[in-house]
Amino acid sequence: LSIALALNTPLFVVVTKVDIAPDHILKQNLKAMRHILKKGGRKPFKVRTLSDVLVASEQVQHKQIVPMFRVSNVTGEGLDVLKQFLNLLHGVRNAKVARAAPVEFYIDDTFSITGAGTVVAGTMYSGRVCVGNHLSLGPDFAGHWTRCMVKSIHCKQLPVQSVASGQSASFALRKIGGDKTKKITRQSIRKGMVMVDPLLEMSCREFEAEVLILHHPTTIKENYQPYCHIRTIRQSAQIMSMERPLLRTGDRTVCRFRFMYHPEYISVGTTMLFREGR
């Protein structure tokens, strides 16, 4: 909850199993969540009726309130208002614009399948991919990119001809150009790599980010090495410089980071989380 509030993300809370939760435990948990939400500048909003649903679905996107639902899958309590709320929610992104943008596919898993070869699985952040499309895979540990053709696409374990922004999918790949005797192997692909439109090829070793310290027991200064999470990227990075000499809990500033081991693909405006390596 604290991370979602710090990222200024619209959110709602669903408390489940209210049919078996002891009253004092339920009250204790609701009180704790309301405390966190109020501390983050949001107003908890209890949803019980259709009129509450209409207010919640309109106001949640403005990040002023946090709708709270109490449901039971056994008795059905609260499920009707939750479903009404989900049906009335506005999209957080413009789907048409996202699907018309250049392809960005973030890889979070790889497989080797007999007859299909190397398969990558992940999420379509933008664009549309069809069977036979040529995309760039990378960056590898040296920051290089490989041109590939999408041989086949599976979405929800079913073969499809295309996928678009917002969908999860898996692609069977074939290398094109260069030395075709060197096939794409599962070992050459790691979580954090991407498949993008060739126009977007870019390898980044250093980047600047505006950071907010949610909590840290000591001070943060130059050369500190946090573990960074940027979409599917997981890598340690060193703080090369900061606009302030020291950072403590609650401080905000701009820092320049350098990845410790190899370059990555990052686009401007991407959200980053970082934490202690431990």
Side-chain angles (χ1 to χ4, degrees):
L1 273 178
S2 296
I3 292 172
L5 292 169
L7 295 176
N8 201 26
T9 304
L11 69 139
F12 59 94
V13 175
V14 182
V15 182
T16 63
K17 301 186 180 180
V18 296
D19 58 302
I20 61 171
D23 286 342
H24 69 286
I25 297 295
L26 179 60
K27 289 179 181 177
Q28 181 180 314
N29 287 337
L30 289 171
K31 183 179 179 181
M33 283 188 284
R34 284 196 291 264
H35 175 72
I36 294 171
L37 293 172
K38 288 178 180 177
K39 192 176 178 181
R42 304 283 183 95
K43 180 182 177 182
F45 183 77
K46 191 183 296 183
V47 181
R48 287 182 172 175
T49 65
L50 179 57
S51 59
D52 293 339
V53 169
L54 295 173
V55 172
S57 62
E58 287 297 324
Q59 295 299 319
V60 67
Q61 61 185 328
H62 301 308
K63 307 168 190 174
Q64 298 298 316
I65 68 168
V66 177
M68 300 186 73
F69 299 84
R70 295 167 53 171
V71 304
S72 166
N73 288 320
V74 174
T75 65
E77 178 186 344
L79 289 179
D80 53 344
V81 291
L82 177 60
K83 289 178 181 177
Q84 289 168 344
F85 173 76
L86 293 173
N87 284 329
L88 292 173
L89 269 183
H90 298 278
V92 293
R93 298 178 69 204
N94 187 318
K96 289 184 178 180
V97 172
R99 293 181 180 186
V103 172
E104 285 185 85
F105 177 80
Y106 288 82
I107 297 171
D108 55 36
D109 208 352
T110 59
F111 310 94
S112 290
I113 298 177
T114 304
T118 301
V119 174
V120 296
T123 304
M124 288 287 297
Y125 181 75
S126 64
R128 178 181 291 275
V129 175
C130 302
V131 173
N133 281 174
H134 292 186
L135 298 172
S136 295
L137 170 68
D140 60 16
F141 289 112
H144 300 148
W145 293 78
T146 303
R147 293 291 176 90
C148 305
M149 185 188 81
V150 178
K151 295 193 297 183
S152 63
I153 304 173
H154 275 68
C155 182
K156 298 179 181 177
Q157 300 182 346
L158 294 174
V160 296
Q161 290 300 305
S162 68
V163 286
S165 170
Q167 292 182 289
S168 295
S170 54
F171 301 153
L173 305 177
R174 188 176 75 199
K175 184 177 179 182
I176 58 174
D179 187 355
K180 293 184 180 180
T181 60
K182 294 183 179 180
K183 296 182 179 180
I184 299 172
T185 62
R186 184 182 178 187
Q187 291 72 27
S188 66
I189 302 174
R190 57 181 171 80
K191 187 173 183 176
M193 291 176 69
V194 296
M195 295 193 69
V196 297
D197 187 292
L199 297 174
L200 297 181
E201 285 186 17
M202 176 191 64
S203 300
C204 167
R205 193 66 189 261
E206 295 187 10
F207 61 94
E208 286 189 351
E210 182 185 12
V211 302
L212 167 66
I213 310 301
L214 291 180
H215 174 73
H216 197 267
T218 60
T219 56
I220 293 175
K221 51 188 176 181
E222 288 184 9
N223 298 322
Y224 174 65
Q225 298 175 7
Y227 195 68
C228 297
H229 298 253
I230 310 173
R231 293 195 177 139
T232 55
I233 295 169
R234 309 285 184 271
Q235 190 182 162
S236 295
Q238 181 177 358
I239 295 181
M240 307 297 291
S241 62
M242 305 190 301
E243 289 185 347
R244 301 172 60 168
L246 297 173
L247 290 176
R248 296 182 176 87
T249 299
D251 288 346
R252 186 190 295 268
T253 191
V254 174
C255 300
R256 186 166 188 84
F257 293 82
R258 178 178 173 82
F259 284 121
M260 296 291 294
Y261 304 109
H262 47 78
E264 302 280 10
Y265 174 86
I266 308 177
S267 51
V268 174
T270 305
T271 299
M272 173 184 78
L273 296 174
F274 68 82
R275 60 176 176 85
E276 285 277 5
R278 295 186 297 274

Short mmCIF file of all heavy atoms in Angstrom, two decimals, residues 38-90:
data_model
loop_
_atom_site.label_atom_id
_atom_site.label_comp_id
_atom_site.label_asym_id
_atom_site.label_seq_id
_atom_site.Cartn_x
_atom_site.Cartn_y
_atom_site.Cartn_z
N LYS A 38 -4.80 7.10 4.97
CA LYS A 38 -4.89 8.49 5.42
C LYS A 38 -3.50 9.12 5.52
O LYS A 38 -3.31 10.28 5.19
CB LYS A 38 -5.61 8.55 6.77
CG LYS A 38 -7.11 8.27 6.68
CD LYS A 38 -7.76 8.30 8.05
CE LYS A 38 -9.26 8.01 7.95
NZ LYS A 38 -9.90 7.96 9.29
N LYS A 39 -2.53 8.33 5.99
CA LYS A 39 -1.16 8.81 6.09
C LYS A 39 -0.61 9.16 4.71
O LYS A 39 0.22 10.07 4.56
CB LYS A 39 -0.29 7.74 6.75
CG LYS A 39 1.08 8.22 7.18
CD LYS A 39 1.83 7.12 7.91
CE LYS A 39 3.23 7.59 8.30
NZ LYS A 39 3.98 6.51 8.99
N GLY A 40 -1.08 8.43 3.67
CA GLY A 40 -0.64 8.70 2.30
C GLY A 40 -1.45 9.76 1.59
O GLY A 40 -1.29 9.97 0.38
N GLY A 41 -2.37 10.40 2.31
CA GLY A 41 -3.14 11.49 1.73
C GLY A 41 -4.38 11.06 0.98
O GLY A 41 -4.97 11.86 0.24
N ARG A 42 -4.81 9.82 1.15
CA ARG A 42 -6.04 9.34 0.50
C ARG A 42 -7.16 9.15 1.53
O ARG A 42 -6.90 8.91 2.71
CB ARG A 42 -5.79 7.99 -0.19
CG ARG A 42 -4.65 7.97 -1.19
CD ARG A 42 -4.99 8.60 -2.51
NE ARG A 42 -3.86 8.45 -3.41
CZ ARG A 42 -3.74 7.45 -4.30
NH1 ARG A 42 -4.68 6.53 -4.40
NH2 ARG A 42 -2.68 7.39 -5.09
N LYS A 43 -8.38 9.22 1.04
CA LYS A 43 -9.56 9.06 1.90
C LYS A 43 -10.18 7.69 1.67
O LYS A 43 -10.65 7.40 0.56
CB LYS A 43 -10.57 10.16 1.60
CG LYS A 43 -11.83 10.09 2.45
CD LYS A 43 -12.82 11.17 2.06
CE LYS A 43 -14.11 11.05 2.87
NZ LYS A 43 -15.11 12.07 2.46
N PRO A 44 -10.22 6.81 2.69
CA PRO A 44 -10.90 5.51 2.52
C PRO A 44 -12.39 5.74 2.29
O PRO A 44 -13.01 6.59 2.93
CB PRO A 44 -10.65 4.81 3.87
CG PRO A 44 -9.52 5.55 4.51
CD PRO A 44 -9.61 6.97 4.03
N PHE A 45 -12.96 4.97 1.36
CA PHE A 45 -14.38 5.14 1.00
C PHE A 45 -15.06 3.77 1.01
O PHE A 45 -14.76 2.92 0.18
CB PHE A 45 -14.50 5.80 -0.37
CG PHE A 45 -15.90 6.08 -0.81
CD1 PHE A 45 -16.61 7.15 -0.30
CD2 PHE A 45 -16.52 5.25 -1.74
CE1 PHE A 45 -17.92 7.41 -0.71
CE2 PHE A 45 -17.81 5.49 -2.16
CZ PHE A 45 -18.52 6.58 -1.64
N LYS A 46 -15.94 3.56 1.97
CA LYS A 46 -16.63 2.28 2.11
C LYS A 46 -17.73 2.16 1.04
O LYS A 46 -18.61 3.03 0.94
CB LYS A 46 -17.25 2.16 3.50
CG LYS A 46 -17.75 0.78 3.86
CD LYS A 46 -18.40 0.78 5.24
CE LYS A 46 -17.39 1.12 6.31
NZ LYS A 46 -18.02 1.05 7.67
N VAL A 47 -17.69 1.09 0.24
CA VAL A 47 -18.67 0.90 -0.85
C VAL A 47 -19.66 -0.19 -0.44
O VAL A 47 -19.28 -1.34 -0.21
CB VAL A 47 -17.97 0.50 -2.16
CG1 VAL A 47 -18.99 0.34 -3.28
CG2 VAL A 47 -16.92 1.54 -2.55
N ARG A 48 -20.95 0.18 -0.38
CA ARG A 48 -21.98 -0.78 0.02
C ARG A 48 -23.17 -0.81 -0.93
O ARG A 48 -23.84 -1.82 -1.06
CB ARG A 48 -22.47 -0.46 1.43
CG ARG A 48 -21.46 -0.82 2.52
CD ARG A 48 -22.01 -0.52 3.90
NE ARG A 48 -21.16 -1.03 4.96
CZ ARG A 48 -21.36 -0.81 6.25
NH1 ARG A 48 -22.40 -0.08 6.64
NH2 ARG A 48 -20.54 -1.31 7.15
N THR A 49 -23.48 0.32 -1.58
CA THR A 49 -24.67 0.41 -2.43
C THR A 49 -24.28 0.82 -3.84
O THR A 49 -23.14 1.19 -4.12
CB THR A 49 -25.65 1.46 -1.86
OG1 THR A 49 -25.03 2.76 -1.93
CG2 THR A 49 -26.00 1.14 -0.40
N LEU A 50 -25.26 0.78 -4.75
CA LEU A 50 -25.03 1.17 -6.14
C LEU A 50 -24.64 2.64 -6.25
O LEU A 50 -23.79 3.00 -7.06
CB LEU A 50 -26.29 0.90 -6.98
CG LEU A 50 -26.20 1.29 -8.47
CD1 LEU A 50 -25.03 0.57 -9.14
CD2 LEU A 50 -27.50 0.97 -9.20
N SER A 51 -25.25 3.50 -5.42
CA SER A 51 -24.88 4.91 -5.46
C SER A 51 -23.42 5.10 -5.03
O SER A 51 -22.70 5.94 -5.59
CB SER A 51 -25.81 5.73 -4.56
OG SER A 51 -25.74 5.26 -3.22
N ASP A 52 -22.97 4.29 -4.06
CA ASP A 52 -21.56 4.32 -3.66
C ASP A 52 -20.66 3.90 -4.82
O ASP A 52 -19.58 4.46 -5.03
CB ASP A 52 -21.31 3.39 -2.47
CG ASP A 52 -21.98 3.86 -1.19
OD1 ASP A 52 -22.29 5.06 -1.10
OD2 ASP A 52 -22.20 3.02 -0.30
N VAL A 53 -21.11 2.89 -5.58
CA VAL A 53 -20.34 2.39 -6.72
C VAL A 53 -20.16 3.49 -7.76
O VAL A 53 -19.06 3.67 -8.30
CB VAL A 53 -21.04 1.17 -7.36
CG1 VAL A 53 -20.40 0.81 -8.70
CG2 VAL A 53 -20.98 -0.03 -6.43
N LEU A 54 -21.21 4.24 -8.04
CA LEU A 54 -21.14 5.30 -9.04
C LEU A 54 -20.14 6.38 -8.62
O LEU A 54 -19.34 6.85 -9.43
CB LEU A 54 -22.53 5.92 -9.25
CG LEU A 54 -23.58 4.99 -9.85
CD1 LEU A 54 -24.96 5.65 -9.86
CD2 LEU A 54 -23.19 4.57 -11.26
N VAL A 55 -20.17 6.74 -7.34
CA VAL A 55 -19.23 7.74 -6.83
C VAL A 55 -17.80 7.20 -6.90
O VAL A 55 -16.87 7.88 -7.36
CB VAL A 55 -19.58 8.11 -5.37
CG1 VAL A 55 -18.49 9.01 -4.77
CG2 VAL A 55 -20.93 8.81 -5.31
N ALA A 56 -17.62 5.95 -6.47
CA ALA A 56 -16.28 5.36 -6.41
C ALA A 56 -15.65 5.23 -7.79
O ALA A 56 -14.47 5.54 -7.99
CB ALA A 56 -16.34 3.99 -5.75
N SER A 57 -16.43 4.78 -8.78
CA SER A 57 -15.88 4.56 -10.12
C SER A 57 -15.46 5.87 -10.78
O SER A 57 -14.54 5.90 -11.61
CB SER A 57 -16.90 3.83 -11.01
OG SER A 57 -18.07 4.61 -11.16
N GLU A 58 -16.12 6.97 -10.43
CA GLU A 58 -15.77 8.27 -11.01
C GLU A 58 -14.59 8.92 -10.28
O GLU A 58 -13.74 9.57 -10.89
CB GLU A 58 -16.98 9.21 -10.96
CG GLU A 58 -18.06 8.87 -11.97
CD GLU A 58 -17.58 8.97 -13.41
OE1 GLU A 58 -16.77 9.87 -13.71
OE2 GLU A 58 -18.01 8.15 -14.24
N GLN A 59 -14.54 8.75 -8.96
CA GLN A 59 -13.55 9.47 -8.15
C GLN A 59 -12.23 8.75 -7.99
O GLN A 59 -11.21 9.38 -7.72
CB GLN A 59 -14.14 9.76 -6.76
CG GLN A 59 -15.34 10.70 -6.77
CD GLN A 59 -14.99 12.08 -7.34
OE1 GLN A 59 -13.94 12.63 -7.05
NE2 GLN A 59 -15.89 12.62 -8.15
N VAL A 60 -12.20 7.42 -8.14
CA VAL A 60 -10.97 6.67 -7.88
C VAL A 60 -9.84 7.09 -8.81
O VAL A 60 -8.66 7.11 -8.42
CB VAL A 60 -11.23 5.14 -7.98
CG1 VAL A 60 -11.56 4.73 -9.42
CG2 VAL A 60 -10.02 4.36 -7.47
N GLN A 61 -10.18 7.47 -10.05
CA GLN A 61 -9.14 7.85 -11.01
C GLN A 61 -8.48 9.18 -10.65
O GLN A 61 -7.36 9.47 -11.08
CB GLN A 61 -9.72 7.92 -12.43
CG GLN A 61 -10.82 8.94 -12.60
CD GLN A 61 -11.45 8.90 -13.96
OE1 GLN A 61 -10.79 8.58 -14.93
NE2 GLN A 61 -12.74 9.22 -14.05
N HIS A 62 -9.16 10.01 -9.83
CA HIS A 62 -8.58 11.28 -9.41
C HIS A 62 -7.67 11.13 -8.20
O HIS A 62 -7.09 12.11 -7.73
CB HIS A 62 -9.70 12.28 -9.09
CG HIS A 62 -10.61 12.55 -10.25
ND1 HIS A 62 -10.14 12.92 -11.50
CD2 HIS A 62 -11.97 12.49 -10.36
CE1 HIS A 62 -11.17 13.10 -12.32
NE2 HIS A 62 -12.28 12.83 -11.67
N LYS A 63 -7.55 9.89 -7.70
CA LYS A 63 -6.61 9.54 -6.62
C LYS A 63 -6.88 10.27 -5.32
O LYS A 63 -5.98 10.43 -4.49
CB LYS A 63 -5.17 9.82 -7.08
CG LYS A 63 -4.82 9.17 -8.42
CD LYS A 63 -3.52 9.69 -8.97
CE LYS A 63 -3.31 9.23 -10.40
NZ LYS A 63 -2.12 9.82 -11.03
N GLN A 64 -8.13 10.68 -5.11
CA GLN A 64 -8.49 11.33 -3.86
C GLN A 64 -9.05 10.32 -2.85
O GLN A 64 -8.82 10.44 -1.65
CB GLN A 64 -9.53 12.44 -4.11
CG GLN A 64 -9.03 13.55 -5.01
CD GLN A 64 -7.84 14.29 -4.42
OE1 GLN A 64 -7.82 14.62 -3.25
NE2 GLN A 64 -6.82 14.52 -5.25
N ILE A 65 -9.80 9.34 -3.37
CA ILE A 65 -10.40 8.34 -2.49
C ILE A 65 -9.88 6.95 -2.84
O ILE A 65 -9.36 6.72 -3.94
CB ILE A 65 -11.95 8.35 -2.59
CG1 ILE A 65 -12.40 7.85 -3.99
CG2 ILE A 65 -12.52 9.72 -2.28
CD1 ILE A 65 -13.88 7.55 -4.06
N VAL A 66 -10.02 6.04 -1.89
CA VAL A 66 -9.69 4.63 -2.12
C VAL A 66 -10.93 3.80 -1.76
O VAL A 66 -11.23 3.61 -0.57
CB VAL A 66 -8.49 4.18 -1.27
CG1 VAL A 66 -8.23 2.69 -1.48
CG2 VAL A 66 -7.25 4.99 -1.61
N PRO A 67 -11.69 3.32 -2.76
CA PRO A 67 -12.85 2.48 -2.47
C PRO A 67 -12.44 1.21 -1.74
O PRO A 67 -11.44 0.59 -2.07
CB PRO A 67 -13.41 2.17 -3.87
CG PRO A 67 -12.87 3.24 -4.75
CD PRO A 67 -11.53 3.58 -4.20
N MET A 68 -13.24 0.82 -0.72
CA MET A 68 -12.96 -0.38 0.05
C MET A 68 -14.17 -1.30 0.00
O MET A 68 -15.29 -0.88 0.32
CB MET A 68 -12.59 -0.03 1.49
CG MET A 68 -11.35 0.87 1.59
SD MET A 68 -10.81 1.16 3.29
CE MET A 68 -10.12 -0.43 3.71
N PHE A 69 -13.94 -2.54 -0.41
CA PHE A 69 -15.00 -3.54 -0.55
C PHE A 69 -14.78 -4.66 0.46
O PHE A 69 -13.64 -5.04 0.74
CB PHE A 69 -15.01 -4.13 -1.96
CG PHE A 69 -15.26 -3.13 -3.05
CD1 PHE A 69 -14.21 -2.38 -3.58
CD2 PHE A 69 -16.54 -2.92 -3.55
CE1 PHE A 69 -14.44 -1.45 -4.58
CE2 PHE A 69 -16.77 -2.00 -4.56
CZ PHE A 69 -15.71 -1.26 -5.08
N ARG A 70 -15.89 -5.22 0.98
CA ARG A 70 -15.84 -6.40 1.83
C ARG A 70 -16.64 -7.49 1.15
O ARG A 70 -17.84 -7.32 0.89
CB ARG A 70 -16.42 -6.08 3.21
CG ARG A 70 -15.61 -5.05 3.98
CD ARG A 70 -16.33 -4.51 5.19
NE ARG A 70 -16.80 -5.57 6.06
CZ ARG A 70 -17.32 -5.36 7.27
NH1 ARG A 70 -17.43 -4.12 7.73
NH2 ARG A 70 -17.73 -6.36 8.01
N VAL A 71 -15.98 -8.61 0.82
CA VAL A 71 -16.66 -9.65 0.03
C VAL A 71 -16.44 -11.03 0.63
O VAL A 71 -15.50 -11.27 1.39
CB VAL A 71 -16.17 -9.66 -1.44
CG1 VAL A 71 -16.34 -8.29 -2.08
CG2 VAL A 71 -14.73 -10.11 -1.54
N SER A 72 -17.35 -11.93 0.24
CA SER A 72 -17.22 -13.35 0.55
C SER A 72 -17.58 -14.14 -0.68
O SER A 72 -18.68 -13.98 -1.23
CB SER A 72 -18.14 -13.75 1.71
OG SER A 72 -18.24 -15.17 1.79
N ASN A 73 -16.69 -14.98 -1.14
CA ASN A 73 -16.99 -15.83 -2.30
C ASN A 73 -17.91 -16.99 -1.93
O ASN A 73 -18.46 -17.65 -2.81
CB ASN A 73 -15.69 -16.37 -2.90
CG ASN A 73 -14.90 -15.30 -3.62
OD1 ASN A 73 -15.48 -14.48 -4.31
ND2 ASN A 73 -13.60 -15.30 -3.44
N VAL A 74 -18.06 -17.25 -0.64
CA VAL A 74 -18.93 -18.34 -0.18
C VAL A 74 -20.37 -17.88 -0.09
O VAL A 74 -21.28 -18.50 -0.64
CB VAL A 74 -18.44 -18.88 1.19
CG1 VAL A 74 -19.42 -19.92 1.73
CG2 VAL A 74 -17.06 -19.49 1.05
N THR A 75 -20.61 -16.78 0.61
CA THR A 75 -21.98 -16.29 0.78
C THR A 75 -22.40 -15.33 -0.33
O THR A 75 -23.59 -15.06 -0.51
CB THR A 75 -22.11 -15.55 2.12
OG1 THR A 75 -21.29 -14.36 2.09
CG2 THR A 75 -21.66 -16.44 3.28
N GLY A 76 -21.42 -14.80 -1.08
CA GLY A 76 -21.73 -13.84 -2.14
C GLY A 76 -21.84 -12.41 -1.66
O GLY A 76 -22.11 -11.50 -2.46
N GLU A 77 -21.61 -12.18 -0.38
CA GLU A 77 -21.70 -10.83 0.17
C GLU A 77 -20.72 -9.88 -0.53
O GLU A 77 -19.54 -10.15 -0.63
CB GLU A 77 -21.38 -10.85 1.67
CG GLU A 77 -21.42 -9.48 2.32
CD GLU A 77 -20.97 -9.50 3.77
OE1 GLU A 77 -20.92 -10.60 4.36
OE2 GLU A 77 -20.65 -8.42 4.30
N GLY A 78 -21.24 -8.76 -1.02
CA GLY A 78 -20.41 -7.72 -1.60
C GLY A 78 -19.96 -7.95 -3.03
O GLY A 78 -19.39 -7.04 -3.65
N LEU A 79 -20.20 -9.14 -3.58
CA LEU A 79 -19.71 -9.43 -4.94
C LEU A 79 -20.44 -8.62 -6.00
O LEU A 79 -19.85 -8.23 -7.01
CB LEU A 79 -19.84 -10.92 -5.24
CG LEU A 79 -18.88 -11.85 -4.49
CD1 LEU A 79 -19.13 -13.30 -4.88
CD2 LEU A 79 -17.43 -11.48 -4.80
N ASP A 80 -21.75 -8.36 -5.79
CA ASP A 80 -22.51 -7.62 -6.80
C ASP A 80 -21.98 -6.19 -6.96
O ASP A 80 -21.78 -5.73 -8.09
CB ASP A 80 -24.01 -7.61 -6.45
CG ASP A 80 -24.27 -7.11 -5.03
OD1 ASP A 80 -23.31 -7.07 -4.23
OD2 ASP A 80 -25.43 -6.77 -4.73
N VAL A 81 -21.71 -5.50 -5.84
CA VAL A 81 -21.21 -4.12 -5.96
C VAL A 81 -19.78 -4.10 -6.50
O VAL A 81 -19.41 -3.18 -7.24
CB VAL A 81 -21.30 -3.37 -4.62
CG1 VAL A 81 -22.73 -3.11 -4.23
CG2 VAL A 81 -20.56 -4.11 -3.52
N LEU A 82 -18.98 -5.12 -6.17
CA LEU A 82 -17.61 -5.17 -6.69
C LEU A 82 -17.63 -5.34 -8.21
O LEU A 82 -16.88 -4.66 -8.93
CB LEU A 82 -16.83 -6.32 -6.05
CG LEU A 82 -15.40 -6.54 -6.57
CD1 LEU A 82 -14.54 -5.29 -6.36
CD2 LEU A 82 -14.76 -7.75 -5.89
N LYS A 83 -18.49 -6.23 -8.72
CA LYS A 83 -18.58 -6.44 -10.17
C LYS A 83 -19.10 -5.19 -10.88
O LYS A 83 -18.61 -4.83 -11.95
CB LYS A 83 -19.51 -7.63 -10.46
CG LYS A 83 -18.91 -8.98 -10.08
CD LYS A 83 -19.89 -10.11 -10.35
CE LYS A 83 -19.31 -11.46 -9.96
NZ LYS A 83 -20.29 -12.56 -10.15
N GLN A 84 -20.07 -4.52 -10.27
CA GLN A 84 -20.56 -3.27 -10.87
C GLN A 84 -19.45 -2.22 -10.94
O GLN A 84 -19.31 -1.52 -11.94
CB GLN A 84 -21.74 -2.74 -10.03
CG GLN A 84 -23.01 -3.57 -10.17
CD GLN A 84 -24.04 -3.21 -9.11
OE1 GLN A 84 -23.73 -2.56 -8.12
NE2 GLN A 84 -25.29 -3.65 -9.31
N PHE A 85 -18.66 -2.15 -9.88
CA PHE A 85 -17.55 -1.20 -9.84
C PHE A 85 -16.53 -1.51 -10.94
O PHE A 85 -16.08 -0.61 -11.67
CB PHE A 85 -16.88 -1.25 -8.46
CG PHE A 85 -15.61 -0.45 -8.36
CD1 PHE A 85 -15.65 0.93 -8.24
CD2 PHE A 85 -14.38 -1.08 -8.36
CE1 PHE A 85 -14.48 1.67 -8.14
CE2 PHE A 85 -13.20 -0.35 -8.25
CZ PHE A 85 -13.26 1.02 -8.14
N LEU A 86 -16.15 -2.77 -11.10
CA LEU A 86 -15.17 -3.17 -12.11
C LEU A 86 -15.68 -2.86 -13.52
O LEU A 86 -14.92 -2.46 -14.39
CB LEU A 86 -14.84 -4.65 -11.98
CG LEU A 86 -14.09 -5.06 -10.71
CD1 LEU A 86 -13.96 -6.58 -10.63
CD2 LEU A 86 -12.70 -4.43 -10.68
N ASN A 87 -16.98 -3.05 -13.74
CA ASN A 87 -17.55 -2.78 -15.06
C ASN A 87 -17.58 -1.29 -15.40
O ASN A 87 -17.59 -0.92 -16.58
CB ASN A 87 -18.98 -3.34 -15.14
CG ASN A 87 -18.99 -4.85 -15.31
OD1 ASN A 87 -18.09 -5.42 -15.91
ND2 ASN A 87 -20.01 -5.50 -14.75
N LEU A 88 -17.59 -0.43 -14.37
CA LEU A 88 -17.68 1.01 -14.60
C LEU A 88 -16.32 1.70 -14.57
O LEU A 88 -16.24 2.90 -14.86
CB LEU A 88 -18.59 1.66 -13.54
CG LEU A 88 -20.07 1.30 -13.62
CD1 LEU A 88 -20.82 1.85 -12.42
CD2 LEU A 88 -20.69 1.82 -14.91
N LEU A 89 -15.26 0.97 -14.24
CA LEU A 89 -13.94 1.58 -14.14
C LEU A 89 -13.46 2.10 -15.49
O LEU A 89 -13.64 1.46 -16.51
CB LEU A 89 -12.91 0.56 -13.62
CG LEU A 89 -12.70 0.47 -12.11
CD1 LEU A 89 -11.59 -0.54 -11.82
CD2 LEU A 89 -12.32 1.81 -11.54
N HIS A 90 -12.81 3.24 -15.46
CA HIS A 90 -12.21 3.81 -16.67
C HIS A 90 -10.83 3.20 -16.88
O HIS A 90 -10.12 2.90 -15.92
CB HIS A 90 -12.09 5.33 -16.55
CG HIS A 90 -13.41 6.03 -16.41
ND1 HIS A 90 -14.21 6.32 -17.48
CD2 HIS A 90 -14.08 6.47 -15.31
CE1 HIS A 90 -15.31 6.93 -17.07
NE2 HIS A 90 -15.25 7.03 -15.75
#
